[in-house]
Amino acid sequence: LQYSGGGGMPGIMETDPGVQRLAFAAVFPVGLLLCKVTGAELWTGNASTMATGFLNGKATWKHVLYNWSVAWISNFLGSIFFAYFFVYLAGVLDDDPYLTFIKNVAVKKIDLDPFKALLRGIGANWLVCLATTLGTSAQSVTGKMLGIWFPITAFVAIGYEHSVANMFLVPIGLMYGARGGFTAESFFLFVGHSLIPVTFGNMIGGAVFVSMLYHVYLGPVPFGNNAPRAGHQPHGGGHGGVLANYKNHMQQQLQLQLLQQQQQQHHGSLPTQGGGHYHNHYGHQPPPVHPHHGDGSQGHAKPGREGTVSVLVEQVIRHNDAAASKEDRRSLQQEEALAGGGAKSDSR
């Protein structure tokens, strides 16, 4: 579809290359949309999906390598199969300007410097995996389409390199005679000089710049059951990322300081943290506070950074109010007992 649309504009390509690039890029998201809707396996999307599973303790490194290997090889074989049977033998691109265009694309990708191919691969899958995240988040097909369309169109129009796309674009060019035709020499030149660097770039873009970056910043993904599988623990630790945990801690400290000033006016000093425990002037110790759960009386709090602070503050306030009420009742009982004792003495 890319070749049939963007490859059929030789005049526009010379006068307005940006328009031709945009037309070439605008139809590319169809492939990813079909993968997301039908549940097909795409290596570039799995670079982020499997890395996220590993970081959250849902998969081992063996699972990751197995999925990546099978998806990459299957995508490569499927691309060559489709290129040969449904494009080359079908003869849909036999004539110019398409024939010249696909040959030029193949030669340009093969001759690209490996380091540049690596960097372009990082940029491509950074956007592809963000598009995958948006598409997965949407519930309707229309929502998936909108979430996928713009990031994918952007990376193609920019000129980044996508390994699975190149598995089709370059072999079909070789089949039509680029680089002397589809020979062992031209094929392995493509794999070693272009496909492998782009593949590693895609791996870095998806696993590092999407999965790891957001895992460090936002913490574990809230799966339906966020408990890791047996024998696995989230990589990165804790109930949130490094920055998220630090932010939680600072918010809690600030909130406790504000509450301490307010509570001193009514109930004395607020419980302070010492030796890992909270104590107050009533001599009571509040129940332990978990950053993601309430005390049971109000159910479970919503997980997240805001929920952590609100649960802590709410439990501290409830505990102090309960302790103050208990102390007030005790004082009232003592006063009534003293008053009753005085009345008995007077009657005697």
Side-chain angles (χ1 to χ4, degrees):
L1 184 58
Q2 278 186 298
Y3 280 147
S4 299
M9 303 178 175
I12 296 178
M13 195 181 307
E14 294 179 1
T15 59
D16 298 293
V19 175
Q20 185 274 335
R21 265 197 172 191
L22 186 60
F24 188 78
V27 297
F28 190 85
V30 173
L32 181 58
L33 178 62
L34 293 175
C35 288
K36 295 304 296 180
V37 173
T38 61
E41 295 290 323
L42 183 67
W43 139 249
T44 46
N46 288 2
S48 172
T49 303
M50 295 303 297
T52 299
F54 174 76
L55 292 171
N56 286 272
K58 302 290 184 178
T60 66
W61 64 268
K62 292 182 179 179
H63 296 145
V64 175
L65 294 181
Y66 174 78
N67 179 275
W68 283 357
S69 301
V70 173
W72 191 90
I73 294 173
S74 300
N75 289 165
F76 200 4
L77 294 177
S79 298
I80 295 177
F81 174 83
F82 187 88
Y84 182 70
F85 285 98
F86 297 102
V87 179
Y88 180 70
L89 291 184
V92 296
L93 299 174
D94 285 351
D95 302 322
D96 279 327
Y98 309 107
L99 184 59
T100 301
F101 182 75
I102 60 177
K103 290 181 180 180
N104 292 338
V105 170
V107 171
K108 184 178 180 180
K109 289 183 177 293
I110 292 176
D111 292 341
L112 182 63
D113 179 74
F115 182 68
K116 292 182 178 179
L118 175 72
L119 295 179
R120 294 186 186 186
I122 294 175
N125 215 34
W126 194 344
L127 288 171
V128 168
C129 291
L130 290 177
T132 301
T133 302
L134 293 176
T136 304
S137 302
Q139 300 298 317
S140 65
V141 175
T142 303
K144 293 180 183 296
M145 183 183 301
L146 292 175
I148 288 172
W149 208 276
F150 294 100
I152 298 300
T153 300
F155 103 75
V156 178
I158 290 170
Y160 289 149
E161 296 291 327
H162 188 272
S163 58
V164 179
N166 290 356
M167 292 174 182
F168 169 82
L169 298 175
V170 176
I172 191 61
L174 297 179
M175 293 176 189
Y176 275 106
R179 284 288 184 186
F182 196 98
T183 63
E185 181 181 357
S186 63
F187 176 77
F188 286 110
L189 177 64
F190 156 62
V191 173
H193 196 263
S194 175
L195 185 58
I196 291 179
V198 172
T199 297
F200 277 102
N202 291 163
M203 183 189 303
I204 296 171
V208 177
F209 283 82
V210 177
S211 295
M212 187 176 295
L213 184 64
Y214 282 100
H215 183 80
V216 171
Y217 176 58
L218 298 177
V221 173
F223 290 97
N225 179 9
N226 205 33
R229 291 176 51 179
H232 304 293
Q233 292 296 329
H235 298 269
H239 294 280
V242 176
L243 298 180
N245 286 335
Y246 177 74
K247 184 178 180 181
N248 285 344
H249 173 73
M250 297 304 296
Q251 288 178 332
Q252 292 171 9
Q253 294 301 316
L254 177 61
Q255 195 67 47
L256 287 174
Q257 291 176 6
L258 294 175
L259 284 174
Q260 183 176 7
Q261 297 175 2
Q262 297 174 2
Q263 293 293 326
Q264 282 177 348
Q265 301 176 4
H266 304 287
H267 306 301
S269 61
L270 186 73
T272 57
Q273 187 174 10
H277 300 282
Y278 287 93
H279 299 277
N280 59 22
H281 67 286
Y282 298 113
H284 300 291
Q285 180 177 341
V289 177
H290 191 283
H292 289 299
H293 300 285
D295 64 350
S297 61
Q298 299 295 328
H300 294 283
K302 294 182 178 179
R305 296 182 293 279
E306 295 81 2
T308 301
V309 178
S310 62
V311 167
L312 177 63
V313 171
E314 185 178 351
Q315 288 190 350
V316 170
I317 292 176
R318 284 203 304 267
H319 172 75
N320 277 272
D321 289 342
S325 300
K326 185 176 181 180
E327 187 70 12
D328 291 340
R329 288 195 301 271
R330 185 182 303 167
S331 299
L332 181 60
Q333 291 174 356
Q334 292 176 353
E335 292 175 0
E336 291 176 350
L338 291 176
K344 292 179 179 179
S345 298
D346 292 341
S347 64
R348 292 196 189 97

